[in-house]
Structures are given as structure tokens and as C-alpha cells.
Amino acid sequence: MGQKISFSSDYTRNAHPAILKRLTDMGFEQNVGYGTDPICESAAGKIKKACDCPGAEVFFLVGGTQTNQTIIDMLLKPYEGVVAARTGHIAAHEAGAVEFSGHKVLTLPATGEETDTEKYGSNIGKISAKDLKAYLATFFGDDNHEHMVFPGAVYISHPTEYGTLYTKKELSDISEVCREYEIPLFLDGARLGYGLMSKRTDVTLSDIAQLTDVFYIGGTKVGAMFGEAVVFTKGGKPKHHVPIIKQHGALLAKGWLLGVQFDTLFTDDLYLNISKNAIDMAEDLKGRLKDKGYEFFLDSPTNQQFIIVDNDKLKELDENVVYSFWEKYDDNRTVIRLATDWATTRDELDTLMKYL
């Protein structure tokens, strides 16, 4: 039997050819380490320009889990935790990395606001400003709150773990609550490119820079070999951030490898252009699945599509396709995730649909 076709995630490929070429062209060129090189400086400048945030502070880390753990530790005092959706990546899929660093994840319902779902897609996976404000008001209104884990930051992801997106109003409302309670808003952008290029979003990179205190631009899932670009938008980066990064094992000695990748991705809009391919392929896939009569678990406007499949069909699918198990739907059916990426082709979709 030949190799299975994989739609399990969006980090299963190598890097974009432009990145690989640039790394090859560098040959045996030498650079200073730990992100202090001119290439990282150039990449940071391009990102600040793309964000329309000239005062931002930018640095590069190696992966999503390290970034989430490190940034949250930077934001919090020892007695503080981070507020997140129950379905948030740090609450569900990072093996307790935040708790391992000594901070509790304080969870909220993950249903979002009542927005126009036909226009923007499902609300699953999002927190709402209403729930956040109620949580914070209840906490600080409790006379015993000095004996409890303080909410010291708010974590959201865009897109969420379900491929759903915040609207600009939802982000603005959450940001306003964070300002009211003077706690930072941190946005996980592991798949940010796919969120920005969705046909059903009203949120731009500039909006995110304006409404958050810190966010990161995912490279691992969007064309890079590895790496995430962290953006502190309002000067909140710790004075001595390098020791904190190093304590979390997230400091790459050859930091220029990260700089090269992001400098390339943010040249001539490459990051957004390749992200658009994933959205185009996801829309194509969604149409084909609808034509086949598949039932969708939710309406995702990005590159992750969730369908409900009979368990008997899954046994057949297992022989030819790598997919992500998501959750048990009932005794006879299962929710699976199919993810397109920056390099997905229509030929690959044709092959997948033969087995679906």
C-alpha cells in the first residue's frame, strides 16, 4: 500500500521554497546568535510595518507551546493565572505546560457572543466579553479573593482551535474589559495567516495590534519550517526577556534561522498570499463534502473543517487517509478534522475525495 494522504494538520510539510532557497543561498555565512543579528532586525521591522505598529517590540521563538508558556509566564506574577476558553489550546492540548510553569489556567465557557453566524461562522471555541466581565467582577467582588488565584491575563486564539474567528467587535469588547480591569490581552496566532485571509473576517493585522497587548504570528503552521514571531504591541515586553525565554528552553542559539524565515514570509506579502491558498482549498473541500452529503460539526470559515463520520466509514478511511480524531459524537459517529494548508493542491483534494 502506498503512503497515506495526510489532512491531519497544517504543520506536516517542509518550509516554503523561498525560505529553503534563502537558507541554501546563505551557505556558510556567519551570524551572531540569539536573535541579535541583522536578519532578525530586518524581519522585526517588516512585521512592525505590516502591523502598522512602529512602536511594537518583536522577537522570535521556536514553537507554539514554548511561546504560549513563555509569554504567559512573562505576563503573570507568581500568584496569578490566565483566563482562557475551556477549549483553548493552553487548557486542552498543551499537556499542562502553563500549569507546569506555576500558573493556573482559569477557564470560561467557549461559546462566544450571539453574532451573525451566517456571515462570520460558528461561535464555538470563543470566549465572550460578557462572560469575561462577569467572571472578573465576581472574582474581585469576593471578599476572599486575596486567597485565590488572581486572573492576571486573558488568552484567546484567532483562529480558535475549532477554526472559528472573532469579529472586530468581539475583539474590541474583550479588549475593553481587559483595559477596565488592567490586565493584558494575549492572542495566540498559531494559524493567524489563515484567519486574516478568511473570506468571512472583518479583522486585520492592524486591528489585532491595536486591540491586544501581545500576540504572535504563527510560522510553524503557515509556511515556515518552525518558529513564531512575538509582538508586544504597547511596550510591555519585560526589560530582561531573554533570561525568561532561556528558562523555558525556548531560546534558539541560531536565532537568525528564525529571522530568515520571517524576513522571507513578510517580503512581498508572501505570508498572506500562501495563507490564501489554504482558505481557497478549504472552501473547495467544504463544497465537495457538502456535495457528498457529509454533515458538518460546525461552520468553520478557515482551513480546519470538522465533519461527522460513521465509525464504519472511519475504518475504511484509516487505510488511506491521515486525519485528526476530534471527539466522539455519539455511539456510532465520530467528529474528525481535515486541515488544508499553504501548499495544499486540488490534486490532493481529488485523492482525498476518492476515499470520502
Side-chain angles (χ1 to χ4, degrees), residues 1-296:
M1 182 181 296
Q3 183 177 358
K4 296 180 181 181
I5 189 165
S6 179
F7 280 82
S8 62
S9 192
D10 37 24
Y11 52 80
T12 58
R13 301 185 196 268
N14 203 330
H16 189 276
I19 291 174
L20 297 176
K21 181 179 185 302
R22 189 161 173 194
L23 288 170
T24 301
D25 289 347
M26 291 179 70
F28 296 106
E29 176 185 320
Q30 291 181 308
N31 283 284
V32 292
Y34 305 111
T36 60
D37 58 273
I39 303 173
C40 286
E41 183 180 356
S42 173
K46 291 178 181 179
I47 288 171
K48 287 189 280 188
K49 183 177 180 180
C51 296
D52 192 24
C53 192
E57 297 172 287
V58 180
F59 58 88
F60 305 98
L61 297 179
V62 292
T65 299
Q66 297 96 325
T67 300
N68 285 332
Q69 186 194 56
T70 302
I71 298 307
I72 288 169
D73 199 23
M74 285 181 175
L75 295 175
L76 300 182
K77 297 179 176 66
Y79 54 86
E80 292 178 329
V82 58
V83 179
R86 287 177 187 150
T87 58
H89 206 58
I90 60 171
H93 284 156
E94 290 194 339
V98 172
E99 285 88 349
F100 187 74
S101 69
H103 300 288
K104 187 175 183 178
V105 179
L106 308 164
T107 57
L108 291 179
T111 54
E113 302 280 11
E114 291 297 324
T115 54
D116 184 350
T117 55
E118 185 174 343
K119 181 176 180 180
Y120 294 111
S122 174
N123 284 321
I124 295 176
K126 302 188 291 185
I127 64 171
S128 71
K130 179 181 177 181
D131 288 340
L132 175 61
K133 185 166 185 176
Y135 175 84
L136 294 172
T138 300
F139 177 86
F140 288 107
D142 188 334
D143 290 341
N144 293 310
H145 71 266
E146 291 284 355
H147 301 273
M148 299 157 67
V149 176
F150 274 57
V154 173
Y155 165 98
I156 59 175
S157 51
H158 182 85
T160 71
E161 290 64 36
Y162 286 86
T164 54
L165 296 170
Y166 287 91
T167 66
K168 184 176 179 180
K169 183 180 186 308
E170 288 171 332
L171 279 181
S172 299
D173 289 347
I174 291 171
S175 180
E176 184 177 337
V177 173
C178 290
R179 300 292 80 73
E180 179 182 348
Y181 284 88
E182 298 182 344
I183 57 177
L185 177 59
F186 169 38
L187 185 145
D188 175 335
R191 296 183 169 94
L192 186 56
Y194 304 140
L196 294 172
M197 295 310 294
S198 171
K199 297 177 175 65
R200 299 165 70 182
T201 187
D202 63 348
V203 174
T204 67
L205 191 57
S206 177
D207 293 332
I208 290 171
Q210 179 185 353
L211 295 171
T212 67
D213 296 281
V214 55
F215 71 97
Y216 72 91
I217 300 167
T220 301
K221 295 179 172 68
V222 192
M225 191 177 297
F226 54 86
E228 326 296 321
V230 178
V231 184
F232 274 84
T233 61
K234 299 173 177 64
K237 184 182 74 172
K239 183 177 180 180
H240 301 292
H241 68 291
V242 172
I244 301 174
I245 296 172
K246 199 155 194 173
Q247 286 178 344
H248 287 276
L251 186 64
L252 188 64
K254 295 183 179 180
W256 49 268
L257 287 175
L258 295 165
V260 166
Q261 295 183 78
F262 280 95
D263 196 59
T264 304
L265 288 172
F266 278 81
T267 298
D268 298 329
D269 291 327
L270 180 62
Y271 187 74
L272 295 180
N273 290 336
I274 63 175
S275 295
K276 183 177 183 300
N277 177 75
I279 299 302
D280 290 343
M281 293 300 100
E283 292 298 316
D284 189 343
L285 174 61
K286 185 185 294 186
R288 298 187 194 208
L289 291 168
K290 287 180 179 177
D291 290 343
K292 289 281 189 178
Y294 279 93
E295 182 180 356
F296 288 80

